[in-house]
Structure formats: structure tokens, C-alpha cells
Amino acid sequence: MIRAIRACKTAAEERAVVRKECAAIRAAINENDHDYRHRNLAKLMFIHMLGYPTHFGQMECLKLIASAGFPEKRIGYLGLMLLLDERQEVLMLVTNSLKQDLNHSNQYIVGLALCALGNISSAEMARDLAPDVERLLQFRDPNTRKKAALCSIRIIKKVPDLAENFMYPASSLLKEKHHGVLITGVQLCTDLCKVSSEALEYFRENCIEGLVKTLRDIANSPYSPEYDMAGITDPFLHIRLLKLLRLLGQGDADASDCMTDILAQVASRTESNKNAGNAILYECVQTIMSIEDNGGLRVLAINILGRFLSNRDNNIRYVGLNMLMKAIVVDAKAIQRHRATILECVKDSDASIQKRALELVYLLVNESNVKPLTKELIEYLEVSDQEFKGDITAKICSLIEKFSPEKIWYIDQMLKVLSEAGNFVKDEVWHALIVVISNASDLHGYTVRALYRAFRASTEQESLVRVAVWCIGEYGDMLVNNVGMLDIEEPITVTESDAVDAIEVAIKHHRLDLTTKAMALIALFKLSTRFPACSERIKDIIFQNKRSLVLELQQRSIEFNCILQKYQNIRSALVERMPVLDEATLSGRKAGSLATTVSTSTIAPCNLPNGVAEPAAAPIGDLLDLSSDDVPAPISSGGDFLQDLLAIDLSPASAPSSGTSLPPKAGTDVLLDLLSIGTPSPGESSPSALDMSSSTQDNKALLANLNGLASLSLLPANATSPESSAGAMGLLDVFDPNPQKRDENGPAYPSIVAYESNSLRMTFNFSKQPGDPQTTFIQATFTNRSPNVYDDFLFQAAVPKFLQLQLDPASSNILPASGNGSITQNLKVTNTQHGKKPLAMRIRIAYKVNDEDVLEQGQINNFPSDL
Amino acid sequence: MTFIYMSVMYEVLCVQIHFVLLISRQGKVRLTKWYSTYSQKERTKVIRELSGVILTRGPKLCNFVEWRGLKVVYKRYASLYFCMCIDPDGNELEILEIIHHYVEVLDRYFGSVCELDLIYNFHKAYYILDEILISGELQEPGKRTIVRAVAAQDSLVETVKEQTASISTIITQATK
């Protein structure tokens, strides 16, 4: 059969052969054919290996195991281990046969049973068969003893309570001479120490000296052909002994003292020109690092790692880097000495090594060496592979943020990163950069000029363009007049039209995305007052964009155009420089204090007239920042807060069309804006509102007015009853999404009951990370309202192909009865068609009630539409 | 719409070796052994993912791949890749030795082993692996011991077969 399958040239042919074979095997099973049973099973295993379903053969395995002959049993156990896993019900049936075989007179059959038990035993089997295994630990044949020892490892891992039963037999295994038994015995002790502190204490008291002696014997033992690996006698035993010693020495000074001599001997005498020797050294270093402090040994260990790093073999360098990462908490200073070598490793051609080295460098950076290290990394960024750039930029950015000694350095380095790899920079990084820029008022001129230069040099890097455009818009006048010149700068002459040119390039550039273009448009609008000479040109460009195919751009340009033409008097106020952005807010948000705190804090300034009246006041900055933060951004794809910040006049206008709105934002500006834009939106504006706005030049008066209205709109049931005055209507319509909006700011989306049956209820809570609208985090909560407990609860979900789904393990697999508790499970869904298609999901929930399996299935269609 | 079911990967045990894979250079699976619990679907997925990663790596690179928070140690012998998956804090160099150990034992047993031996005698390859590893832990460092144990079981099988053969001939002769 194997030959036939190998002869197949295409996958289809192979499938045909396999199908035929499977049919023949099925027929044989039905006829209960004894003679060929083992041969059929062997075939089945081969088919299984090719990846075809073979579940129908499971019962055959059991029959073979139950039969008397050794050949049948041998193949049966092999099939059992291959075709089944511990989750399958069938496995329960084999317990009895296993028990019999464990007591069989033939040691090989006992061996088979132990092997199978060790590989696939479930917790129940472990409990049932533990006494037999325990007895076999003292069996006369060493092969059986070692198998029993490994089997015990599985048992104690499955059922940690059984550990104490194995403690004494395990310690007697340590005195064995047979290497196999010794190895497995040491391994068993190690695992016992991991699951039981009692065992740890016991071994610490009774076995350390014995272990040290064994290690010494083995280290000094003469050449023995049987256990020799590359000139070293049994490296495996070495390694296991070192591991056990590590556990015993950890946190116990006396035990650590006992083993220092032998560790020093192993560390200094082991040959390091072969892999086996290095494996031992590696383990030894690990042990030295974990046991209680001993200065001399640690120096020795760090030196070994230094040797590892300079080794030519990639494997050795890899483990060296890996180990240094662990050692860094112990002795950072010693590792700083190897900085140059580690930096070299970052530039290695091997991705695994690069990654390790980068992480290590990241850990090595501190205030004193941040400048040279960042310089090195940025230099390397220029030549690194595309795939690696993302990783490395993320690390550089976080380093710069964490350790930057001064603002000018921060801005410089970020500019370098942006111009090298702006496309890999995450949104929050350049948001943070803008906040820093806006706070560094003495550097505005310098920054905008540097950005302008970088932007002229290349428009390839998206986030560089964004930052540049934003700065030119805000500080365009400084660019032209060379304000705040620093000594280190080269003088640069930029005319007003040059600056406008730059922005125009950004708008027209075909590769830049919508967010950037929208930002450029806003910048242009801002420049219109800063550069009166160019205002005609600016008008032209904005006018051209009125015909843009992209809704967002079109809408913006129409609005801007309208303001430019009709509302000359308020324009300068509208485009005033942004208030200084609040760093605390940004970092606060980063820390993840999203949800409720944000929503409550937005409400407060909303109702404070003075807060709203003074555009420069901090609360406003706050308000701006926060309120725009979690906006679902129905039109824009980026969802970035800056865009929204700048789009002060856009959002209210888009409200009627998209059904989502923002709270009142930039005080006076917005107010006028609201009203001016309220005009074109049909049916919702009223002449009186418009009159009010155009006649009232006194913003404060209007504000007071509005404030009243805003509080009115906070009344429940969206107090937009027909009785309200027409003037109020216009405003209210803009405002009454506010309460809803605040809700959304908290959980962002309302929770849904995703599934409900007679007894089971599943609710979904949604949340999103800002700046990543595609990904939704869902917390599923299950409650059981029936009087019975649900065991083995398993939730499965399926999604269509345009979605990606990731499930975290559930909080438990037992669901208490009558709603006395719940299971939660987190899901992460990424919608690759965000904005185009809504989420959809099918679910399957399996559980056991009174030992009966229940399966519930359903489809969830009531997801909020904009996830 | 097509839906693809997924469930959570269960990593209940922390064993030394999570699984052993033998993949040919063409990406054909020659042997799989799972010591941690993976469902059938997860198994195929793991194999597909890993063979994609490992087979594309260059010859001079190091033998370790970080994958889903675990580490895969692999080594190429002729046209076969031997892969073992371990916890991130395991000793990678030791796993390389274990792989080598396995290969040496195979070599002794088959007498200069080649890929075809493993294809036609895949069950033997499993038997040998079972003598080296149980539940993801090393069982025996002595090569001779392993070969002897497998050979002893083989001869046991042979004698039983001969017995049944002779019994059946006796029966057929008796019934004639």
C-alpha cells in the first residue's frame, strides 16, 4: 500500500488510493477479520500520518490491545498512541486492559503498557493506575523501572495530589547505577519538586549530597562507549542533575553551598568545542544564576556567556543571548561589557538571533547609554530587512520615549525614525510625538523646519508626512519667518508658497492615505489665515477637492470653502493654533484607564461655561483629547484623535448623515460652526437658529444659551419633542447624541445578549483599542440558569473568512447552576473588511449535564453594525 | 459564507518536549508524535505552519525557531528535518543532542538509515522513539540498550509468528 501511495503523482490519485484502502479496512473491520487486523491498523496509521481521518480504527486498537499475543498488543498500543488523544471517550475503555498488562508476566508487555500510559494517560486513568505504576518502580528489570518512572511523571503532573506516594520510591531511584533509571529517576524528582513543596524539602534534606557525588562521578568518569556523546560521558545525565540541583539550590543557601564546588568544576572543566559540552555549560550557567548568590561563580558564568556570544556557531550565540536576558536581572553591569557584541548580533542575518539580540539590547538601555545605543539602532534601521523593521522601530520608539533626556533629542531621534521607517511606526507613537512637539514651545520653529526639510527629501513615509503636515499647518508662520532659530540649524528660506506647495504635494500624492490627506486639507485651511498672500491659491486647492471622490475630503472641502467665503470674520478664531496638548492625558490614556473615567471626565467640562469659553484652558485640551478619542469615526478610517481634533467643524455636520456625533468640542469655534453648518443639513436647521448665530457675535451670550440647551438635551428620552421651539430643535439635534455618545465612551459599544436558550445565556461585551478599528475585543460571559451544574463546558466559535478570530482559554470549564457564577472567555476578532461588512459568528457550546452530553449551536446576527 | 471552527489550544502539561515531527524536504510528514494534547485539527495546522517556517530557513542559520511562544528545535539530516518543540525555557542544545541521539539509534538499528527505511518501516521508527522518549522526557541515554530492547521485542514478535504459523500447519495437516 505504501508503495502504491508513493507511486501517486497527484494529490487526487493519492486520495483515490487512500479511499480504496480505507474502504477495504472498514470492510475487514465489519467482518471482524482476525488475521489481518494488525496489518490493517498499521495501514491505518500510515494513512493517519498523511492526514486523513481514521477515527473508525479506534475500536480496532482496543481490540488488538485486549488480545493475548505480543505482536497484536504491540501494534495496538502504537495505534492507541497515534490515533487517539487523551480527550477521547474511547480511552476510558482501555483502562482495564492497561491494568491487566501492567501486571503481565512478560516485561515487554508491561513496558508497552507503561509507555502508552505515559504518553496519553488522562487524569482519571492516572488516578486509577497509580498504585500499579508505583509498584513497578521497584521492579527487578531496569527497563521497566525507568519506564515506570517516566509514567509517574505524567501521573503526578495530571494529579498532583499523588506526589507524596512517589516521593520515597523516587529517592531510592537516585542511588541506581543504570543510567537510564538514574536519568528518569532524577527527572521524576525534578518534577516532584515542581508540584510539591513537601517533596522539595525532603529532597533538599536527604539527597543533595548524593546528587553532588553522582554528578562528580559522572563528570570525572573515564570514557565509556555506551554513553559517550562527542567525548563527554552522558551529557543528558549531566543536564538533568544540574536541573535538579537548580531546583534544590534555589532559595536555600545551605543547599547552594553544597553544590558550589561541583558547579565550578563543571563550569570550568567541560569541553566547549562540541555541542554536547556547550549544552552542559548552558545548563550549568543557568543553575549558577538561579541558586543563591556566589560572586565567584557568577563571574565564571558570565564569562562563559561572553564566550558563547563570540562563538561562530549561530546556535551557541542564540542560547548565549537567551541566557544573558535572564542574567540581566542578576548582574546588569557585567553584561554591559558585552554590549558591542550584542549590538553586532542585532545585525546578524538570522532572524531568531536578531530578535533575541534586539530584546536584550532593549533591556540593556538605561539613561546613561541611551544616546549611543539609539544612534546605533537607528543607523542599523537603514539597512535592516523589511520584516524586521517593524520590530526594531517599535523598540526604538519605546526606548526614545522612555529614556529621552531632553525634548530636542527626542524630537530629533523621532524624526530620524520617521524618515527611515515611518510606515512602520504605530499611530500612538506619532500621536505622542505631536503632543511633545506642541508642548515644546521653544522648539516649534526648529521642529517645523526640520520636518519641512525631511518632507521635501521624501514623501514615502506616511507618518512623517502626517506629522510634517500637522506642524506646517500649526506653525507655518514660524517656518517662513525663521522664528526661534537654534544655533545648530542651517538657515533655510521657505516662502509662503513653498509651504503651500508642500501641503499640496501631500494632498495630491497618490500613495498617501485618506487620513493624511484630510490632515493636509486642514493644514491648508489653517494656513489660509497665516499666509494672506496665498489665500487665493489655498482657496483654489480646497475648491478642487470639492469634487474629490472621497466623501470625507469632499465634505471637508465644502465646509472649509463655505467658511472661507461666508464667514471671514470668524475665520481667524477658527483656525487659531491648537491649545497645548496635555501630556498627562495622553499617557493616562496609554495606561489604559479608558472607559468610565474618560466618560465621566468629559461630562464635567461640558457643562462648565468657563471651561468652554476659554479655548486655551487646560480642561478644553482635555475635553478635546478625550472626547475625540474613542469616537467610532464613522467616515474616517484612521480613528485617530488628531484628525478629529482638527476636524472641529466636520463632526457636527457629519452627525445627521452618519448617526453618530461628538459632544461640543472647541467652545466658541464649534458653536459658530455648528450653526453655520447646521444650515445646509436639511430639515434639522431652522431659520431662527441661523439668525441667532449670525446676529450674535457675542460668543459668550450664545454660549450661555447653548449651555442651557445642552443641559436640556441631557434630559432622558431625547427631549426633542415637537413642542420644543424650532431654534432649540436645530441645536438639540446636534446635541442630543451626547448622552448616547458618553455611553459609548465607556464600553464603547452596548453589550448584547449573543445567545440565549432555555437555560444558557451568553452575553458579549465589546471593546476596541484606539487606533485599531478593525480589532474588537469581546468578553463572552456565560451564565447557567438551570438547576444543574454544567461540566466540561466548551465554547467554540466560527467566523467567515474575512474575519480573524482568536480565543483565549475560558476562565473555567465548570458552569455553576442557577446563575450562581459564570464563565468568562475573551475573544479577539479582527475584521479585515471593517466598515464594509458587519461581524458574524456561529457558535457551538458543548457541556455535560448529569453526565449527558449537550450541544447547543447558534448564529449571532445582532452584533452592533459598525464593529 | 464559510465558517471555520476554532477552539482553544489546550496546553495542560508542561512537558519537556511537546511534539516530535519528521518532515521531508518536500514537506511530507514522515513521523509525528504528540506528547501534549492537540486535537486532530490543531495537529494538521501545526504541521502546516511549521513546515512553512522550517523548510524555508537557510542552511547557515541557527537551529531554533520561535513559534507561538514555544521554541522549535530542528535539525536536518540528509533530506529529513527532525523537529522537536519545547518550552521557551528549555535547553535547546540538549534537544539537539536528543535529536542526534535518536538519529544515531536509528542508524544503528537500520544500518545506515535512509528516508525510505523510515517510510516502509515507520512503525519501527515509532518503536524506537518510544524507547527513547516517554511523555516527552528522555528515557534512555544508552544507544546499545535501546537497540537491544527493540530487537528483543522484534524477535519476540517473530517467534510468536513462527509458532502460529507452525500451529496452523499442524492444524492443516491434521485436518487433511
Side-chain angles (χ1 to χ4, degrees):
Chain A
M1 180 195 80
I2 296 175
R3 211 163 278 140
I5 289 177
R6 276 175 58 77
C8 295
K9 288 195 182 63
T10 63
E13 260 180 73
E14 183 185 295
R15 271 199 296 277
V17 173
V18 169
R19 228 183 352 252
K20 227 163 92 194
E21 285 290 345
C22 285
I25 295 169
R26 272 210 192 87
I29 292 173
N30 287 340
E31 286 161 21
N32 228 345
D33 182 348
H34 286 284
D35 303 339
Y36 289 104
R37 192 174 271 159
H38 61 275
R39 188 165 300 171
N40 283 335
L41 192 59
K43 280 181 179 177
L44 214 50
M45 281 186 265
F46 191 79
I47 294 171
H48 174 85
M49 199 156 60
L50 295 172
Y52 295 92
T54 48
H55 46 89
F56 54 86
Q58 290 171 355
M59 285 315 286
E60 286 302 281
C61 291
L62 303 190
K63 282 184 202 156
L64 279 174
I65 291 171
S67 61
F70 178 74
E72 285 85 9
K73 273 191 193 297
R74 196 183 191 196
I75 202 103
Y77 276 117
L78 186 58
L80 183 76
M81 287 184 276
L82 281 185
L83 305 184
L84 277 80
D85 65 59
E86 64 173 279
R87 267 176 280 171
Q88 265 146 347
E89 302 275 308
V90 192
L91 211 53
M92 288 311 294
L93 304 174
V94 92
T95 316
N96 230 347
S97 316
L98 273 175
K99 200 174 175 68
Q100 271 167 21
D101 286 347
L102 286 178
N103 295 313
H104 204 278
S105 57
N106 184 330
Q107 54 149 320
Y108 293 112
I109 290 178
V110 177
L112 284 176
L114 280 173
C115 183
L117 187 62
N119 283 343
I120 58 163
S121 122
S122 61
E124 290 88 354
M125 283 165 82
R127 225 183 274 277
D128 291 346
L129 299 173
D132 297 283
V133 175
E134 205 187 312
R135 181 176 48 77
L136 287 170
L137 281 176
Q138 278 123 20
F139 198 71
R140 67 194 145 69
D141 176 57
N143 286 325
T144 311
R145 279 206 301 273
K146 74 188 181 198
K147 286 195 167 92
L150 290 180
C151 223
S152 324
I153 294 180
R154 173 107 182 174
I155 290 172
I156 57 161
K157 276 181 184 166
K158 286 277 168 199
V159 193
D161 322 345
L162 293 173
E164 55 188 295
N165 300 355
F166 286 96
M167 236 157 62
Y168 304 104
S171 61
S172 68
L173 289 180
L174 295 180
K175 300 183 188 86
E176 292 271 351
K177 284 279 169 294
H178 185 279
H179 278 226
V181 185
L182 197 50
I183 274 197
T184 52
V186 173
Q187 188 65 45
L188 175 57
C189 292
T190 313
D191 283 300
L192 278 169
C193 290
K194 281 183 195 161
V195 296
S196 144
S197 51
E198 196 186 332
L200 182 64
E201 279 309 313
Y202 176 79
F203 290 127
R204 227 177 233 159
E205 270 163 38
N206 298 303
C207 302
I208 285 209
E209 270 157 45
L211 287 170
V212 170
K213 184 175 172 297
T214 319
L215 184 57
R216 182 170 297 126
D217 288 348
I218 187 93
N220 296 333
S221 72
Y223 176 77
S224 71
E226 170 73 0
Y227 299 113
D228 182 69
M229 287 293 258
I232 291 168
T233 308
D234 203 347
F236 303 117
L237 185 54
H238 269 102
I239 289 169
R240 275 176 187 66
L241 283 167
L242 287 167
K243 254 187 206 153
L244 182 53
L245 287 178
R246 176 156 83 234
L247 277 179
L248 297 179
Q250 224 160 14
D252 188 311
D254 292 341
S256 302
D257 256 7
C258 272
M259 55 186 87
T260 35
D261 282 351
I262 184 66
L263 287 179
Q265 190 201 334
V266 172
S268 52
R269 284 232 222 124
T270 310
E271 291 250 7
S272 65
N273 49 6
K274 285 276 168 45
N275 184 44
N278 283 322
I280 296 176
L281 282 176
Y282 179 46
E283 202 63 47
C284 187
V285 170
Q286 240 174 324
T287 303
I288 292 174
M289 288 298 171
S290 330
I291 63 169
E292 289 311 294
D293 194 26
N294 180 313
L297 270 183
R298 294 231 159 126
V299 173
L300 191 61
I302 301 267
N303 284 343
I304 293 176
L305 293 180
R307 275 211 312 266
F308 274 13
L309 277 189
S310 49
N311 200 306
R312 277 215 315 277
D313 187 345
N314 276 336
N315 291 342
I316 309 290
R317 274 195 295 164
Y318 177 89
V319 295
L321 289 169
N322 206 6
M323 196 55 229
L324 280 174
M325 266 183 36
K326 288 180 199 152
I328 201 160
V329 278
V330 180
D331 190 357
K333 229 180 255 160
I335 296 169
Q336 292 287 1
R337 271 188 279 133
H338 300 290
R339 213 168 61 204
T341 332
I342 297 167
L343 265 177
E344 279 311 301
C345 292
V346 176
K347 301 170 188 172
D348 199 277
S349 58
D350 187 326
S352 297
I353 290 187
Q354 273 182 344
K355 210 170 147 206
R356 281 277 141 250
L358 184 62
E359 265 163 38
L360 188 55
V361 170
Y362 182 69
L363 292 177
L364 275 178
V365 173
N366 56 29
E367 282 82 1
S368 60
N369 60 17
V370 62
K371 283 192 174 182
L373 276 177
T374 316
K375 184 162 165 282
E376 287 263 2
L377 287 177
I378 291 180
E379 272 167 20
Y380 175 60
L381 190 59
E382 291 164 32
V383 289
S384 65
D385 286 342
Q386 286 297 323
E387 312 88 88
F388 194 44
K389 272 196 173 134
D391 260 0
I392 199 168
T393 28
K395 285 273 190 304
I396 296 177
C397 291
S398 93
L399 281 181
I400 297 176
E401 257 175 69
K402 209 155 123 202
F403 294 110
S404 98
E406 62 230 344
K407 278 184 174 151
I408 181 161
W409 185 83
Y410 177 96
I411 292 172
D412 274 347
Q413 303 306 314
M414 286 307 293
L415 287 193
K416 275 190 206 157
V417 174
L418 285 182
S419 37
E420 274 314 321
N423 290 336
F424 298 97
V425 170
K426 291 206 185 73
D427 279 354
E428 57 261 27
V429 171
W430 65 263
H431 291 175
L433 173 62
I434 288 189
V435 172
V436 170
I437 294 177
S438 119
N439 275 294
S441 53
D442 46 335
L443 295 172
H444 284 167
Y446 167 73
T447 314
V448 70
R449 280 186 292 278
L451 276 165
Y452 177 77
R453 243 179 253 134
F455 175 65
R456 282 272 117 173
S458 154
T459 53
E460 294 296 304
Q461 308 291 347
E462 190 93 43
S463 45
L464 174 74
V465 175
R466 288 185 189 175
V467 178
V469 158
W470 188 86
C471 285
I472 295 176
E474 292 293 318
Y475 313 118
D477 41 341
M478 295 183 163
L479 174 64
V480 176
N481 303 331
N482 276 341
V483 175
M485 201 68 172
L486 298 188
D487 302 338
I488 45 166
E489 272 184 87
E490 282 174 40
I492 172 175
T493 9
V494 186
T495 63
E496 295 186 352
S497 70
D498 283 344
V500 177
D501 279 346
I503 306 273
E504 194 180 356
V505 167
I507 293 184
K508 298 210 167 136
H509 199 290
H510 61 100
R511 279 183 51 195
L512 299 176
D513 77 357
L514 175 66
T515 314
T516 318
K517 289 188 175 171
M519 285 179 75
L521 206 59
I522 292 162
L524 207 54
F525 178 56
K526 293 212 159 192
L527 287 180
S528 69
T529 49
R530 271 158 228 179
F531 302 159
C534 289
S535 64
E536 274 312 306
R537 244 191 94 203
I538 291 175
K539 236 181 240 174
D540 275 353
I541 302 172
I542 292 183
F543 192 73
Q544 283 167 19
N545 274 293
K546 272 170 78 172
R547 274 165 300 171
S548 167
L549 288 177
V550 186
L551 183 64
E552 171 95 10
L553 294 182
Q554 191 187 35
Q555 190 171 5
R556 279 186 194 213
S557 38
I558 290 174
E559 289 158 12
F560 293 158
N561 198 38
C562 178
I563 294 169
L564 286 176
Q565 281 174 354
K566 292 190 196 148
Y567 300 98
Q568 288 293 345
N569 44 359
I570 56 154
R571 200 179 64 197
S572 56
L574 262 182
V575 299
E576 220 161 65
R577 219 170 262 169
M578 295 275 296
V580 171
L581 301 166
D582 192 1
E583 277 181 271
T585 325
L586 183 88
S587 46
R589 194 182 43 229
K590 251 195 227 151
S593 63
L594 286 160
T596 45
T597 48
V598 172
S599 57
T600 47
S601 63
T602 35
I603 294 169
C606 240
N607 293 329
L608 281 175
N610 14 347
V612 184
E614 279 174 40
I620 277 238
D622 214 319
L623 169 66
L624 281 173
D625 221 17
L626 290 166
S627 55
S628 48
D629 175 25
D630 285 330
V631 171
I635 299 173
S636 66
S637 57
D640 54 314
F641 74 97
L642 280 165
Q643 184 193 337
D644 289 314
L645 271 179
L646 298 166
I648 35 175
D649 16 32
L650 161 77
S651 23
S654 69
S657 59
S658 65
T660 339
S661 177
L662 304 166
K665 290 165 118 198
T668 51
D669 304 356
V670 161
L671 273 183
L672 287 166
D673 217 73
L674 278 176
L675 298 166
S676 68
I677 294 168
T679 356
S681 56
E684 286 173 356
S685 64
S686 64
S688 68
L690 189 67
D691 284 354
M692 198 160 67
S693 80
S694 44
S695 63
T696 325
Q697 286 304 317
D698 181 7
N699 291 334
K700 299 236 166 164
L702 181 62
L703 244 168
N705 206 334
L706 181 79
N707 225 29
L709 290 171
S711 49
L712 195 83
S713 70
L714 288 172
L715 291 172
N718 293 348
T720 47
S721 54
E723 296 89 44
S724 315
S725 78
M729 278 282 280
L731 282 169
L732 271 176
D733 265 310
V734 179
F735 273 92
D736 62 15
N738 283 351
Q740 174 208 346
K741 168 67 195 136
R742 285 195 201 101
D743 288 344
E744 283 177 0
N745 244 338
Y749 294 93
S751 321
I752 59 168
V753 177
Y755 178 79
E756 192 159 18
S757 69
N758 299 340
S759 55
L760 186 71
R761 181 189 172 103
M762 174 173 77
T763 51
F764 276 3
N765 287 321
F766 304 100
S767 60
K768 273 183 197 280
Q769 295 276 326
D772 188 7
Q774 291 200 338
T775 310
T776 312
F777 294 89
I778 304 178
Q779 190 187 38
T781 313
F782 306 92
T783 39
N784 167 11
R785 291 176 298 181
S786 76
N788 303 314
V789 180
Y790 292 172
D791 293 325
D792 291 346
F793 188 88
L794 177 71
F795 167 69
Q796 289 181 303
V799 291
K801 274 199 176 135
F802 66 89
L803 298 174
Q804 282 160 9
L805 175 67
Q806 210 177 316
L807 280 137
D808 293 341
S811 57
S812 151
N813 65 350
I814 296 169
L815 190 54
S818 359
N820 285 335
S822 57
I823 296 181
T824 56
Q825 188 163 17
N826 289 324
L827 296 85
K828 189 174 121 189
V829 182
T830 310
N831 187 351
T832 54
Q833 307 255 8
H834 176 75
K836 292 181 206 145
K837 290 189 184 169
L839 294 192
M841 191 182 284
R842 271 189 204 159
I843 51 142
R844 192 149 71 179
I845 301 169
Y847 52 88
K848 267 189 191 163
V849 193
N850 302 331
D851 275 337
E852 264 179 65
D853 284 315
V854 182
L855 183 73
E856 297 194 30
Q857 299 195 43
Q859 181 155 353
I860 307 174
N861 296 321
N862 55 343
F863 281 106
S865 56
D866 45 356
L867 282 176
Chain B
M1 269 192 280
T2 45
F3 284 82
I4 306 147
Y5 271 98
M6 285 183 32
S7 70
V8 185
M9 281 237 177
Y10 278 88
E11 292 287 331
V12 192
L13 286 181
C14 84
V15 291
Q16 193 190 8
I17 298 169
H18 292 283
F19 54 80
V20 180
L21 277 184
L22 260 69
I23 315 174
S24 78
R25 210 152 48 106
Q26 290 80 29
K28 286 248 188 283
V29 182
R30 294 302 177 212
L31 181 142
T32 57
K33 187 94 188 171
W34 308 87
Y35 296 108
S36 292
T37 317
Y38 290 88
S39 78
Q40 216 46 256
K41 241 181 213 144
E42 288 156 3
R43 289 182 186 183
T44 26
K45 204 165 144 225
V46 167
I47 293 173
R48 205 176 40 234
E49 258 177 50
L50 273 185
S51 47
V53 177
I54 288 172
L55 299 181
T56 50
R57 277 175 70 89
K60 286 267 168 62
L61 305 182
C62 71
N63 297 51
F64 318 124
V65 181
E66 282 164 42
W67 171 82
R68 287 207 209 162
L70 300 173
K71 268 181 198 161
V72 178
V73 179
Y74 70 93
K75 188 155 187 187
R76 187 178 159 180
Y77 287 89
S79 60
L80 267 187
Y81 285 87
F82 289 68
C83 318
M84 291 188 184
C85 177
I86 55 169
D87 278 329
D89 54 352
N91 186 337
E92 300 90 346
L93 299 178
E94 188 204 356
I95 300 297
L96 275 182
E97 286 302 307
I98 294 184
I99 291 178
H100 189 69
H101 183 53
Y102 181 39
V103 173
E104 275 192 47
V105 175
L106 283 175
D107 207 51
R108 271 197 200 188
Y109 180 82
F110 287 106
S112 128
V113 68
C114 70
E115 197 184 334
L116 282 180
D117 290 327
L118 297 188
I119 295 172
Y120 289 108
N121 292 305
F122 70 96
H123 54 289
K124 300 250 166 82
Y126 278 111
Y127 292 144
I128 294 171
L129 189 61
D130 282 341
E131 290 294 325
I132 297 180
L133 296 173
I134 286 184
S135 124
E137 311 284 353
L138 186 76
Q139 181 189 164
E140 174 60 59
K143 298 185 230 344
R144 202 153 33 119
T145 325
I146 298 167
V147 175
R148 229 188 285 137
V150 178
Q153 296 182 50
D154 283 346
S155 64
L156 192 60
V157 171
E158 287 308 312
T159 42
V160 172
K161 271 188 185 160
E162 270 166 30
Q163 274 171 10
T164 43
S166 57
I167 290 172
S168 57
T169 42
I170 293 169
I171 292 171
T172 40
Q173 277 169 356
T175 46
K176 256 177 197 171

